[in-house]
Amino acid sequence: IWRLRLETDPAASRRVGVTAEDVARALSGATAGTEMTALREADGSVPVLLRARAEERVAERLVDLPVHPAAGGSPVPLG
C-alpha cells in the first residue's frame, strides 16, 4: 500500500474554481475507482469500477490528472 501526500495552493485553487473536495474526488476516482454500475449475479452483485490505467496511477503521472470543478467550468490539471 502506498500513500500520497498532496499539498494544494488555496489561492491558485480558488482562481481556477477548484475545491479540496474536487481534488480528492479526482484522485480517488483515478486511483481507487468510481463505481459506475453493478453486475447482478445469482448470489449478489459485483461493482463495475472506472479508474485510470495502472501506468497513469503512479505519482509522477498524477500531476496530469484533470480535476473537474463540481461548480462547473473547464477541468484543470492537478499539477
Side-chain angles (χ1 to χ4, degrees):
I1 297 176
W2 56 275
R3 199 179 278 206
L4 178 68
R5 180 178 168 88
L6 179 73
E7 293 183 21
T8 60
D9 179 340
S13 296
R14 279 192 300 278
R15 278 195 302 276
V16 296
V18 171
T19 66
E21 291 81 15
D22 296 332
V23 172
R25 187 174 38 259
L27 283 170
S28 176
T31 57
T34 300
E35 187 171 338
M36 302 304 290
T37 190
L39 296 176
R40 303 206 189 288
E41 297 197 358
D43 58 343
S45 63
V46 177
V48 176
L49 301 175
L50 174 66
R51 69 177 180 179
R53 294 181 302 214
E55 62 270 14
E56 295 173 342
R57 293 191 311 257
V58 296
E60 295 80 18
R61 296 286 306 274
L62 288 175
V63 296
D64 298 325
L65 180 69
V67 178
H68 297 265
S74 299
V76 296
L78 180 62

